[in-house]
């Protein structure tokens, strides 16, 4: 298998309110796997609330948008016995 077949990417946009609460999470580019897409969505939501956003970062806006790419890679399972 090639590296491309072992790696799946998801691109999402997170919109945060000034106090760090999530306003919206939207998948912009799916991994092609509903399970991985839902996992990324859950990870973002479970990490909330985020820290408050400084006024200078907001620059007069009422929300902050963050776009990020998640990479899920399939790797072999390793275990060790002590």
């Amino acid at each position: 298998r090639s590296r491309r077949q072992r790696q799946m990417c998801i691109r999402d946009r997170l919109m945060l309110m000034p106090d760090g609460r999530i306003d919206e999470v939207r998948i912009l580019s799916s991994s092609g796997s509903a399970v991985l897409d839902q996992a990324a969505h859950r990870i973002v939501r479970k990490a909330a609330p985020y820290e408050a956003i400084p006024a200078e970062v907001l620059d007069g806006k009422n929300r902050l948008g963050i776009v990020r790419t998640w990479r899920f890679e399939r790797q072999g399972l390793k275990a060790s016995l002590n």
Side-chain angles (χ1 to χ4, degrees):
R1 272 188 171 170
S2 72
R3 180 170 175 80
R4 174 174 245 167
Q5 291 172 323
R6 292 180 289 162
Q7 178 176 290
M8 296 179 142
C9 295
I10 300 163
R11 192 164 173 248
D12 69 8
R13 181 179 67 213
L14 171 63
M15 297 300 291
L16 293 175
M17 302 299 291
D19 64 0
R21 288 179 297 126
I22 294 175
D23 181 48
E24 177 185 21
V25 180
R26 177 170 292 169
I27 295 194
L28 302 175
S29 177
S30 172
S31 68
S33 166
V35 171
L36 288 180
D37 292 354
Q38 291 168 3
H41 196 267
R42 277 194 309 273
I43 290 167
V44 170
R45 293 228 177 249
K46 283 187 177 236
Y50 295 88
E51 291 202 28
I53 303 163
E56 59 271 12
V57 172
L58 287 170
D59 193 30
K61 308 287 190 290
N62 63 352
R63 299 185 306 169
L64 175 69
I66 300 169
V67 175
R68 60 181 151 190
T69 300
W70 298 76
R71 285 189 177 82
F72 291 90
E73 294 185 10
R74 177 179 290 191
Q75 297 181 357
L77 179 62
K78 295 180 182 177
S80 63
L81 300 174
N82 293 332

